[in-house]
Amino acid sequence: MKIHIENKLYTCGDIHGDPVELTFKIALKDLKDCTIICLGDVGIFRYRDYKHYKYLNSVCAERNITVYALRGNHDNPGFFNDLSNPIIKRFWEKFTNFKPLRDFDIIDYEGYHILTLPGATSRDRCTRKSWHSTKINVYDYYRGGDWWAKEVIPPIPDTLPEFDVILSHNGPIPCRGIITIPDSFKAQDGAIESDIAEEQKYLHSIHSKYKPKAWWFGHYHHTYEYELDNTQCRILAISELLEFKLDE
């Protein structure tokens, strides 16, 4: 789906189910008449989580702000891609100014064509409760777990329109130093290091193929800027709120 944004665009790092700081920053910066894209790990696990975002929605409605949620590894994929399910519809209908981004939605903004790229591999997946169901049902949407096999970054379809910027949850990093996997996780999950390494290879292959002008993402809970073969890369820290603009 294509989304056209005509007012000012901001991005926000992971909020993990707690939008209080984001709401505070909206008021502190006195933001109005704008759009915010949360770059994954919004913290949407199950139906009852709607309670966490009610105040954010009301503040944004008063200020004419639309917040879009991108799927991270710590978000239930069903809430972003199964929008025809009655439980999911009921969840999002509770909000006027808080909306989901489906996998690979394209955003048109100030002449940029922005791909929204979801997902990542959870380094802490061994500590999380697996969502065992292979079929979606009402019970899972009301309760469920907090880890999903479909958390990973899906392949980019060949049928997508052209894009020149990527906003995502995970992104290509210039060195492995920023990825830290505790020994306790590696001891419980023998494949975690290799899986994350393969994911980074995939992200770098996306970069090599599409050569975007910019790539902004969250996931690592750090503020970090770097250039990767002429791509302006930006990592946003937890609840970091930043206007989207590129160096020309």
Side-chain angles (χ1 to χ4, degrees), residues 115-150:
L115 173 69
T116 60
L117 183 64
T121 298
S122 297
R123 66 175 191 163
D124 62 345
R125 63 191 181 185
C126 60
T127 69
R128 292 182 167 268
K129 179 184 174 184
S130 176
W131 192 48
H132 291 292
S133 297
T134 56
K135 293 183 179 179
I136 292 169
N137 58 56
V138 172
Y139 177 81
D140 291 317
Y141 279 142
Y142 274 108
R143 298 189 64 179
D146 58 4
W147 180 84
W148 304 271
K150 292 183 178 180

Coordinates of all heavy atoms in Angstrom, one line a residue, residues 115-150:
L115 N 10.6 2.8 1.6 CA 10.2 1.4 1.9 C 10.2 1.2 3.4 O 11.1 1.6 4.1 CB 11.1 0.4 1.3 CG 10.9 -1.1 1.7 CD1 9.6 -1.6 1.1 CD2 12.1 -1.9 1.2
T116 N 9.1 0.6 3.9 CA 9.1 0.3 5.3 C 9.3 -1.2 5.4 O 8.6 -2.0 4.9 CB 7.7 0.6 6.0 OG1 6.7 0.0 5.3 CG2 7.5 2.1 5.9
L117 N 10.4 -1.6 6.1 CA 10.9 -2.9 6.2 C 10.9 -3.4 7.6 O 11.6 -2.9 8.5 CB 12.4 -3.0 5.7 CG 13.1 -4.3 5.6 CD1 12.4 -5.2 4.6 CD2 14.6 -4.1 5.2
P118 N 10.0 -4.5 7.9 CA 9.8 -4.9 9.2 C 10.7 -6.0 9.7 O 11.5 -6.6 8.9 CB 8.4 -5.4 9.1 CG 8.4 -6.1 7.8 CD 9.2 -5.2 6.9
G119 N 10.6 -6.3 11.0 CA 11.2 -7.5 11.6 C 12.7 -7.5 11.9 O 13.4 -6.6 11.6
A120 N 13.1 -8.5 12.7 CA 14.5 -8.7 13.1 C 14.5 -10.0 13.8 O 13.4 -10.6 14.2 CB 15.0 -7.6 13.9
T121 N 15.7 -10.6 14.1 CA 15.9 -11.7 14.9 C 16.1 -11.3 16.3 O 17.0 -10.5 16.6 CB 17.1 -12.6 14.4 OG1 16.8 -13.0 13.0 CG2 17.3 -13.8 15.3
S122 N 15.4 -11.9 17.3 CA 15.5 -11.5 18.7 C 16.7 -12.3 19.3 O 16.7 -13.5 19.3 CB 14.2 -11.9 19.5 OG 13.1 -11.2 19.0
R123 N 17.7 -11.5 19.8 CA 18.8 -12.2 20.4 C 18.4 -12.9 21.7 O 19.1 -13.8 22.1 CB 19.9 -11.1 20.7 CG 19.6 -10.1 21.7 CD 20.7 -9.2 22.0 NE 20.4 -8.4 23.2 CZ 21.3 -7.7 23.9 NH1 22.6 -7.8 23.6 NH2 20.9 -7.0 25.0
D124 N 17.3 -12.4 22.3 CA 16.8 -13.0 23.5 C 15.7 -14.0 23.3 O 14.9 -14.3 24.2 CB 16.4 -11.9 24.5 CG 15.2 -11.1 23.9 OD1 14.9 -11.2 22.7 OD2 14.6 -10.4 24.7
R125 N 15.6 -14.6 22.1 CA 14.4 -15.4 21.8 C 14.4 -16.7 22.7 O 13.3 -17.2 23.0 CB 14.4 -15.9 20.4 CG 15.6 -16.7 20.0 CD 15.8 -16.9 18.5 NE 16.9 -17.7 18.1 CZ 17.3 -18.0 16.9 NH1 16.7 -17.4 15.9 NH2 18.4 -18.7 16.7
C126 N 15.5 -17.1 23.2 CA 15.5 -18.3 24.1 C 14.9 -18.0 25.5 O 14.5 -18.9 26.2 CB 17.0 -18.7 24.4 SG 18.0 -17.5 25.1
T127 N 14.7 -16.7 25.8 CA 14.1 -16.4 27.1 C 12.6 -16.1 27.0 O 12.0 -15.8 28.0 CB 14.8 -15.2 27.7 OG1 14.5 -14.0 27.0 CG2 16.3 -15.4 27.8
R128 N 12.1 -16.1 25.8 CA 10.7 -15.7 25.5 C 9.8 -16.9 25.3 O 10.2 -17.9 25.0 CB 10.7 -14.7 24.3 CG 11.4 -13.4 24.6 CD 11.3 -12.4 23.5 NE 11.7 -11.1 24.0 CZ 10.9 -10.2 24.5 NH1 9.6 -10.4 24.5 NH2 11.4 -9.0 24.9
K129 N 8.5 -16.6 25.6 CA 7.5 -17.6 25.4 C 7.0 -17.7 24.0 O 6.6 -16.7 23.4 CB 6.3 -17.2 26.3 CG 5.1 -18.2 26.2 CD 3.9 -17.7 27.1 CE 2.7 -18.6 26.9 NZ 1.5 -18.1 27.6
S130 N 7.2 -18.9 23.4 CA 6.9 -19.1 22.0 C 5.4 -19.0 21.8 O 4.6 -19.5 22.6 CB 7.4 -20.4 21.5 OG 7.0 -20.7 20.2
W131 N 5.0 -18.4 20.6 CA 3.6 -18.4 20.2 C 3.4 -19.6 19.3 O 3.7 -19.7 18.2 CB 3.4 -17.1 19.4 CG 1.9 -16.8 19.1 CD1 0.9 -16.8 20.0 CD2 1.4 -16.4 17.8 NE1 -0.3 -16.4 19.3 CE2 0.0 -16.1 18.0 CE3 2.0 -16.2 16.6 CZ2 -0.8 -15.7 17.0 CZ3 1.2 -15.7 15.6 CH2 -0.2 -15.5 15.8
H132 N 2.9 -20.7 19.9 CA 3.0 -22.0 19.3 C 2.0 -22.3 18.2 O 2.3 -23.1 17.3 CB 2.7 -23.1 20.4 CG 3.8 -23.2 21.4 ND1 5.1 -23.7 21.1 CD2 3.8 -22.9 22.7 CE1 5.8 -23.7 22.2 NE2 5.1 -23.2 23.2
S133 N 0.9 -21.5 18.1 CA -0.1 -21.8 17.1 C 0.4 -21.7 15.7 O 1.1 -20.7 15.4 CB -1.3 -20.9 17.4 OG -1.9 -21.2 18.6
T134 N 0.0 -22.6 14.9 CA 0.3 -22.4 13.4 C -0.8 -21.8 12.7 O -0.6 -21.2 11.6 CB 0.6 -23.8 12.8 OG1 -0.6 -24.7 13.0 CG2 1.8 -24.5 13.4
K135 N -2.0 -21.8 13.3 CA -3.1 -21.1 12.8 C -3.6 -20.0 13.7 O -3.5 -20.1 14.9 CB -4.3 -22.1 12.5 CG -4.0 -23.1 11.5 CD -5.2 -24.0 11.2 CE -5.0 -25.0 10.2 NZ -6.1 -25.9 9.9
I136 N -4.0 -18.8 13.1 CA -4.4 -17.7 13.9 C -5.8 -18.0 14.5 O -6.7 -18.5 13.8 CB -4.4 -16.4 13.0 CG1 -3.0 -16.1 12.7 CG2 -5.1 -15.3 13.7 CD1 -2.9 -15.0 11.6
N137 N -6.0 -17.7 15.8 CA -7.3 -17.9 16.3 C -7.5 -16.8 17.4 O -6.6 -16.1 17.8 CB -7.5 -19.3 16.9 CG -6.5 -19.6 18.0 OD1 -6.4 -18.9 18.9 ND2 -5.8 -20.7 17.8
V138 N -8.8 -16.7 17.8 CA -9.1 -15.6 18.8 C -8.3 -15.7 20.1 O -7.9 -14.7 20.6 CB -10.6 -15.6 19.0 CG1 -11.0 -14.7 20.2 CG2 -11.4 -15.3 17.8
Y139 N -8.1 -16.9 20.6 CA -7.4 -17.1 21.8 C -6.0 -16.5 21.8 O -5.6 -15.8 22.7 CB -7.4 -18.6 22.2 CG -6.6 -18.9 23.4 CD1 -7.2 -18.7 24.7 CD2 -5.2 -19.3 23.4 CE1 -6.4 -19.0 25.8 CE2 -4.5 -19.5 24.5 CZ -5.1 -19.4 25.8 OH -4.4 -19.6 26.9
D140 N -5.3 -16.8 20.7 CA -4.0 -16.3 20.5 C -3.9 -14.7 20.5 O -3.0 -14.1 21.1 CB -3.3 -16.8 19.2 CG -3.1 -18.3 19.3 OD1 -2.6 -18.7 20.4 OD2 -3.3 -19.0 18.3
Y141 N -4.9 -14.1 19.9 CA -4.9 -12.7 19.8 C -5.3 -12.0 21.2 O -4.9 -10.9 21.4 CB -5.9 -12.2 18.7 CG -5.3 -12.3 17.4 CD1 -6.0 -12.6 16.3 CD2 -3.9 -12.0 17.2 CE1 -5.5 -12.7 15.0 CE2 -3.4 -12.0 15.9 CZ -4.2 -12.4 14.8 OH -3.6 -12.5 13.6
Y142 N -6.0 -12.8 22.0 CA -6.3 -12.2 23.3 C -5.1 -12.5 24.3 O -4.9 -11.7 25.2 CB -7.6 -12.8 23.9 CG -8.8 -12.1 23.4 CD1 -9.6 -12.6 22.5 CD2 -9.1 -10.8 24.0 CE1 -10.8 -11.9 22.1 CE2 -10.2 -10.1 23.6 CZ -11.0 -10.7 22.6 OH -12.2 -10.0 22.2
R143 N -4.4 -13.6 24.1 CA -3.3 -13.9 25.1 C -2.0 -14.1 24.3 O -1.2 -13.2 24.1 CB -3.7 -15.1 25.9 CG -5.0 -14.9 26.7 CD -5.2 -16.0 27.7 NE -4.2 -16.1 28.7 CZ -4.2 -17.0 29.7 NH1 -5.2 -17.8 29.8 NH2 -3.2 -17.1 30.5
G144 N -1.8 -15.3 23.8 CA -0.6 -15.6 23.0 C 0.7 -15.5 23.9 O 0.7 -15.5 25.1
G145 N 1.9 -15.4 23.1 CA 3.2 -15.4 23.8 C 3.8 -14.0 23.4 O 3.2 -13.1 23.1
D146 N 5.2 -14.0 23.5 CA 5.9 -12.8 23.2 C 7.1 -13.1 22.2 O 8.1 -12.3 22.2 CB 6.4 -12.1 24.4 CG 7.2 -12.9 25.3 OD1 7.6 -14.0 25.0 OD2 7.6 -12.4 26.4
W147 N 7.0 -14.3 21.5 CA 8.0 -14.6 20.5 C 7.3 -15.3 19.4 O 6.4 -16.1 19.6 CB 9.1 -15.5 21.0 CG 10.1 -15.7 19.9 CD1 11.2 -15.0 19.5 CD2 10.2 -16.9 19.1 NE1 11.8 -15.5 18.5 CE2 11.2 -16.7 18.1 CE3 9.4 -18.0 18.9 CZ2 11.5 -17.6 17.2 CZ3 9.7 -18.9 17.9 CH2 10.7 -18.7 17.1
W148 N 7.7 -14.9 18.1 CA 7.0 -15.4 16.9 C 8.0 -15.8 15.9 O 9.0 -15.1 15.6 CB 6.1 -14.3 16.3 CG 5.1 -13.8 17.3 CD1 3.8 -14.3 17.6 CD2 5.3 -12.7 18.2 NE1 3.2 -13.6 18.6 CE2 4.1 -12.6 19.0 CE3 6.3 -11.8 18.5 CZ2 3.9 -11.6 20.0 CZ3 6.2 -10.9 19.5 CH2 5.0 -10.8 20.2
A149 N 7.8 -17.0 15.3 CA 8.8 -17.5 14.3 C 8.8 -16.5 13.1 O 9.8 -16.4 12.4 CB 8.4 -18.9 13.8
K150 N 7.7 -15.8 12.9 CA 7.6 -14.8 11.8 C 8.1 -13.5 12.2 O 7.8 -12.5 11.5 CB 6.2 -14.8 11.3 CG 5.7 -16.1 10.6 CD 4.3 -15.9 10.1 CE 3.9 -17.2 9.3 NZ 2.5 -17.1 8.8

